[in-house]
Amino acid sequence: MATILILSKLSKNLELMAEFFKKQGFDSISASSYEDLDRILSSLSFDVALLDIGGFDSKIWHYCEKINKHGTPFFIISAVKNPKIDKEGLKKGARGVLVKPLVMKELNEIIKALV
Amino acid sequence: MPEKFQKTKISSGVKGLDDILNGGYFEYNSYLIAGGPGSGKTTICLHFLEEGDKKGEPSLFITLGEKEEQIRKNASLLGLNLKNVEFLDLSPSAEFFTEVESYDIFSPAEVEREPVTRAIKNKIESLKPKRVAIDSMTQFRYLSTDVFQFRKQVLSFLRFLNESGATVLFTAEASSDAPDDDLRFLADGIIDLSISEIGKQLEIKKFRGSDYLSGKHYYEIRNGYGIVVFPRILPLEKKVTLTFEKLPSGVPEIDELLYGGIERGTVTIISGPSGTGKTTLGMQFIKEAAGRGERSVLYTFEESVEKIIERSSLVNIPVNQMIKKGTLEIKKIEPLIFTPCSFASMVKEDVEKNKTKIVMLDSTSGYKLSVRGSEITTHLHALCKYLSNNGVTVFLPTETKNITGDFQIAQEDISYLADNVIILRYIEVQGELRRAIGVLKKRLGDFEKTLREFQITKYGIKVGEPLKNMRNILSGSPVLVKGK
């Protein structure tokens, strides 16, 4: 069963995504801080990462590079369509930048295409 | 709609509203209650459910905004009993704030629609309510991905409820961001509530399958009563056969002027400057009616009840006795308490309940100043016509500004209201101020064309012989005719 790393500052976002992925037959690991990411990146493995960057500072790009070095596909999730975020995200190796709110059906198709 | 459901009308539970709706709401239909904050949308829904509960019908309130506890508390303050009314409380809890349960990863339509739909479906299937209120349907807009989906969802939701055997009222909170035009098209009927500086008004904007009383109707929200609606009076609503028999005044000379008296069921303006005896003349007719055992009501806008009683007793009109016998009631109308519709409702209720035969509104200027609202004259006209069509004789003492001189029937343009016009005027004779009485108009018969002297004495009204020895009487300064 594939495992998805989900990152978000909002706990309810994490809860909803975990619930959604469980229904789709996926496991998930939740993170809401850099400390969580450090812990997860050092000890756990995952197949895809979804990074909701809302509320995080520019340090998040460093973590994007780390995930990219692992060879794990990841997506940036942003609250708004922003060319700067698009550019930076793709530069750091993101497969794409998704804008909130996500459509469940589309998210499911994206994840299934990657795992 | 299954054929077994016959469409009959059910009561709204709101006093006065069933009259406007010609019996109430149609069963298994859905009605939109629209209006701004504080207009009474929720209260109308609560009346509806309370009425169902009284009849033993399972009733359900679905709330998406206010908490059940708050609604029950407010209902109780208004005097509504919701003891057996079931609630489905889908409003956000305090934990949503304290536990930071806000989210933005998915739309509310995707996250919450399914649980909300499931909760409603389960409740409907277990309770099988006959009456459902939803407050407010606007919240469902945020559970839809677009306008088309919202419309489809509301339509199917209402159909689900109607086909489950429920009559539905739902509220809408229209705003510039979320206008409720689509809900108006979906509803079988629309009740619009509005608040202005004049008061609260209700209007039926749509009602499929039945006629209704159109136009704006005033309503009030009263503690202990909830909403009370005052349907605008229908002038042509007639419940009696009119006879137009002549009603004498009890003063022979006045009856001579009127060729027998005032016809029953007519409207009479008694016109004159202040102090000429307009009220006293009206009271004279009322005294005579009391002698016949008929009930009259005087609505006084200016004088207190005590003053009228005192004044009348000084001119041999035994008001106290008439009040004790039930042949007279005097109601003091305080300024700006009533709207035209609430006043008319009160008069109508008294006439129908107590079989009142004479109504005097003292005075027309007092009515216009005391009753708050717009188009006052139109409302007065409707009330007079209603009373007249129902065999009630109406007296309208009407003050004119000029003591003498330029002749006018009334300060306001109301002479068209009257079937009869009796004028009282001051005249100056040899340095003394006296009064004269005459008849200007009598729609249903002839009358004496002369003016006579009119006196108010401790024995009552005294009217003299026709003033044929004078001319220019109406100018206030009559001239003796030579040789007479």
Side-chain angles (χ1 to χ4, degrees), chain B residues 71-111:
Chain B
I71 296 170
R72 284 191 186 276
K73 189 177 162 191
N74 292 342
S76 163
L77 286 171
L78 289 172
L80 295 167
N81 182 358
L82 305 179
K83 201 172 75 166
N84 298 317
V85 172
E86 286 277 331
F87 273 71
L88 177 59
D89 190 344
L90 300 172
S91 62
S93 64
E95 285 75 27
F96 184 82
F97 173 74
T98 58
E99 302 294 318
V100 194
E101 290 199 353
S102 60
Y103 60 89
D104 61 359
I105 191 69
F106 300 122
S107 71
E110 291 213 270
V111 173

Side-chain angles (χ1 to χ4, degrees), chain B residues 69-327:
Chain B
E69 193 187 319
Q70 190 60 44
I71 296 170
R72 284 191 186 276
K73 189 177 162 191
N74 292 342
S76 163
L77 286 171
L78 289 172
L80 295 167
N81 182 358
L82 305 179
K83 201 172 75 166
N84 298 317
V85 172
E86 286 277 331
F87 273 71
L88 177 59
D89 190 344
L90 300 172
S91 62
S93 64
E95 285 75 27
F96 184 82
F97 173 74
T98 58
E99 302 294 318
V100 194
E101 290 199 353
S102 60
Y103 60 89
D104 61 359
I105 191 69
F106 300 122
S107 71
E110 291 213 270
V111 173
E112 297 186 53
R113 198 176 72 226
E114 201 211 318
V116 164
T117 307
R118 197 169 48 241
I120 293 173
K121 186 166 171 275
N122 290 345
K123 193 70 176 180
I124 299 294
E125 283 172 356
S126 66
L127 183 65
K128 294 185 186 13
K130 298 288 286 172
R131 295 183 184 222
V132 175
I134 302 158
D135 189 19
S136 75
M137 193 67 89
T138 306
Q139 296 298 321
F140 285 102
R141 202 181 286 283
Y142 307 116
L143 301 181
S144 301
T145 48
D146 55 49
V147 169
F148 172 72
Q149 291 295 329
F150 172 65
R151 190 187 161 102
K152 204 168 152 185
Q153 277 152 26
V154 170
L155 200 47
S156 59
F157 178 38
L158 293 176
R159 279 194 185 144
F160 164 67
L161 292 173
N162 293 148
E163 286 175 12
S164 301
T167 308
V168 181
L169 294 196
F170 62 96
T171 67
E173 297 158 358
S175 65
S176 51
D177 293 331
D180 62 3
D181 294 343
D182 43 8
L183 292 175
R184 288 174 171 269
F185 282 104
L186 298 176
D188 294 304
I190 301 168
I191 298 178
D192 259 348
L193 307 177
S194 59
I195 303 178
S196 68
E197 55 190 25
I198 298 167
K200 298 183 177 66
Q201 289 179 309
L202 168 160
E203 190 175 0
I204 310 300
K205 287 287 180 68
K206 176 182 173 185
F207 203 76
R208 282 189 191 139
S210 168
D211 60 359
Y212 53 87
L213 190 55
S214 62
K216 290 189 175 183
H217 312 275
Y218 286 96
Y219 68 95
E220 291 170 9
I221 304 178
R222 296 173 176 173
N223 279 353
Y225 293 91
I227 286 187
V228 180
V229 180
F230 304 104
R232 66 174 181 81
I233 212 150
L234 272 181
L236 297 179
E237 191 186 336
K238 197 188 289 192
K239 291 177 184 167
V240 301
T241 310
L242 303 175
T243 58
F244 300 120
E245 68 188 278
K246 285 198 176 146
L247 304 178
S249 65
V251 177
E253 292 78 10
I254 293 179
D255 295 337
E256 281 173 22
L257 271 172
L258 293 165
Y259 279 19
I262 295 281
E263 283 78 9
R264 186 185 292 284
T266 56
V267 178
T268 302
I269 284 180
I270 305 173
S271 161
S274 179
T276 42
K278 301 181 295 297
T279 307
T280 306
L281 180 55
M283 291 300 289
Q284 179 59 43
F285 278 94
I286 286 175
K287 174 187 170 188
E288 192 65 11
R292 294 191 297 270
E294 293 179 359
R295 178 185 150 86
S296 304
V297 180
L298 161 59
Y299 296 92
T300 171
F301 298 93
E302 294 154 10
E303 273 188 287
S304 67
V305 174
E306 293 75 23
K307 271 193 191 158
I308 292 173
I309 292 173
E310 176 65 17
R311 273 214 293 131
S312 301
S313 67
L314 291 173
V315 296
N316 199 26
I317 298 176
V319 166
N320 258 333
Q321 281 177 41
M322 286 151 66
I323 291 174
K324 278 181 191 151
K325 282 185 180 172
T327 50

